[in-house]
Amino acid sequence: MIQKINQISLEVDADMKVVSTSEQLENFRVKYLGSKGLVKELFNELKSAPNEDKKEFGLHVNALRIKLEVFYNEKKESERPLKNTSEAQDLSRSGENIAHGSHHPLSIVRDEIIEVFNRIGFVVSEGPEIEDDWHNFSALNFPKDHPARDMQDTFFIDKGAQEMALRTHTSSVQVRVMENNKPPIRTISPGRVYRNEAISARAHCFFHQVEGLYIDKDVSFADLKQTLLYFAKAIFGENAQIRLRPSYFPFTEPSAEVDVSCSICDSKGCNVCKYSGWLEILGCGMVDPAVLESSGIDSSVYSGFAFGMGIERIAQLKYKVNDLRMYSENDLRFLKQF
Ligand code: PHE
């Protein structure tokens, strides 16, 4: 039987050299691998071989069969036109890197501020960016033609009969909250605001604020100060200190501007804090009773405090970004760092 196998093997080698057309390949398959082919014949013969030879013969026949199948499959594969690109894909190739997006630095800082105030019970409220005069100014104690309106260079929008404006602060949202809710009120309003200023490294025609409002019975200036100290420590670290300087806002009385100790130089003095050791971060004060009354809150029962800060300013101090324009230029080299 070995002889027969060797003989067929030689025949196979000779045939393999000449197979080129698909017709020849098919004849090749029928001759050797078909149901009446030579391999089948050999396997049949194997059954009647003497037991002691079976193993050796079996190995040879099997090797021949594998050789034939490999040859046939390879030929067949190379004949087949590639039907579509998915069949041409190399599935073992490693994947390409996916460019992940990242959060905008202002979103990161905004979310952090929200988180800090959420912990002490402040809920987020939002309102429209196009505001009427009442919510942006009048309800906040800015009478018409009052010079304080000049503090906030306003973009006015002519909307037919009613003159509207792009909100200059998110205090407008707090008026809406006061109108629609009964104290106790504890809310923060993050959002974009607009002011008609020439764009430079230090000013922009839009920026972002978080303003806070707390109204209840017996809310005091001490509560305000303690809340802001808690905030400063949460954002700038345990060692942060604050100081309050008297200031003026139409809607708060008394009013103050708040400085935080310079975390960049540890209050030793640097060019960011202009060698004072302090950085201005927000405005605040006790809500003027006239503001409570305009929104329907009884000022003989309730008092409250309010504060407002620019998110850009906090982000500038956290990330040492000295040009405000970077936040809105969508330069990937800048954005990818966060
Ligand atoms: N609304 C003020 C501003 O935009 C900030 C502020 C809010 C000041 C609340 C005092 C109290 O400048």
Side-chain angles (χ1 to χ4, degrees), residues 175-189:
V175 174
R176 292 175 179 277
V177 173
M178 287 190 283
E179 285 172 343
N180 296 311
N181 295 277
K182 297 219 169 325
I185 291 170
R186 224 180 310 177
T187 186
I188 46 171
S189 338

Side-chain angles (χ1 to χ4, degrees), residues 152 168-169 171 195 209 211 249 251-252 283-285 306-308:
Q152 311 200 336
T168 59
H169 49 188
S171 303
R195 292 188 195 175
Q209 281 190 326
E211 296 219 353
F249 299 102
F251 34 89
T252 46
C284 66
F307 56 86

Side-chain angles (χ1 to χ4, degrees), residues 110-123:
R110 178 202 58 207
D111 292 348
E112 203 176 325
I113 297 170
I114 291 174
E115 216 266 315
V116 167
F117 282 107
N118 271 347
R119 270 187 252 153
I120 52 170
F122 284 76
V123 294

Side-chain angles (χ1 to χ4, degrees), residues 59-302:
L59 285 172
H60 281 90
V61 179
N62 222 13
L64 183 64
R65 181 184 61 88
I66 290 171
K67 179 173 165 180
L68 286 160
E69 283 179 352
V70 168
F71 173 78
Y72 174 77
N73 287 337
E74 270 177 15
K75 274 276 180 204
K76 195 81 191 160
E77 191 65 37
S78 65
E79 243 179 34
R80 199 163 58 104
L82 291 175
K83 288 201 203 80
N84 57 44
T85 48
S86 74
E87 286 184 38
Q89 273 171 9
D90 176 0
L91 297 180
S92 63
R93 236 177 79 183
S94 55
E96 281 172 22
N97 285 340
I98 295 169
H100 289 286
S102 58
H103 288 281
H104 192 279
L106 294 179
S107 303
I108 297 173
V109 173
R110 178 202 58 207
D111 292 348
E112 203 176 325
I113 297 170
I114 291 174
E115 216 266 315
V116 167
F117 282 107
N118 271 347
R119 270 187 252 153
I120 52 170
F122 284 76
V123 294
V124 169
S125 48
E126 286 177 336
E129 293 187 10
I130 298 177
E131 262 301 4
D132 51 37
D133 181 276
W134 172 255
H135 291 98
N136 197 79
F137 290 122
S138 300
L140 288 162
N141 218 16
F142 289 85
K144 282 236 181 300
D145 305 320
H146 192 280
R149 290 196 179 209
D150 293 344
M151 281 165 67
Q152 311 200 336
D153 309 272
T154 311
F155 284 117
F156 290 101
I157 299 176
D158 193 5
K159 266 199 146 187
Q162 205 184 359
E163 191 179 66
M164 304 286 278
L166 295 179
R167 67 180 177 197
T168 59
H169 49 188
T170 57
S171 303
S172 55
V173 179
Q174 308 192 327
V175 174
R176 292 175 179 277
V177 173
M178 287 190 283
E179 285 172 343
N180 296 311
N181 295 277
K182 297 219 169 325
I185 291 170
R186 224 180 310 177
T187 186
I188 46 171
S189 338
R192 180 174 286 184
V193 301
Y194 302 83
R195 292 188 195 175
N196 191 356
E197 293 196 33
I199 296 170
S200 70
R202 302 169 62 86
H204 211 294
C205 59
F206 63 78
F207 58 99
H208 301 79
Q209 281 190 326
V210 176
E211 296 219 353
L213 176 71
Y214 180 27
I215 299 173
D216 203 348
K217 291 177 181 150
D218 302 322
V219 176
S220 70
F221 202 88
D223 295 327
L224 169 61
K225 198 175 166 189
Q226 210 53 37
T227 302
L228 296 178
L229 181 61
Y230 155 77
F231 162 76
K233 285 181 183 293
I235 295 286
F236 296 106
E238 251 322 289
N239 294 331
Q241 297 290 316
I242 58 167
R243 76 174 183 189
L244 280 73
R245 287 177 287 108
S247 185
Y248 171 77
F249 299 102
F251 34 89
T252 46
E253 182 60 36
S255 304
E257 246 152 319
V258 178
D259 299 338
V260 65
S261 49
C262 183
S263 53
I264 294 169
C265 63
D266 252 344
S267 300
K268 290 189 181 73
C270 64
N271 59 356
V272 178
C273 65
K274 302 203 188 74
Y275 301 95
S276 69
W278 295 98
L279 301 156
E280 187 188 324
I281 54 164
L282 55 85
C284 66
M286 300 307 291
V287 181
D288 193 306
V291 172
L292 295 176
E293 295 292 337
S294 353
S295 301
I297 292 174
D298 186 346
S299 64
S300 65
V301 180
Y302 294 105

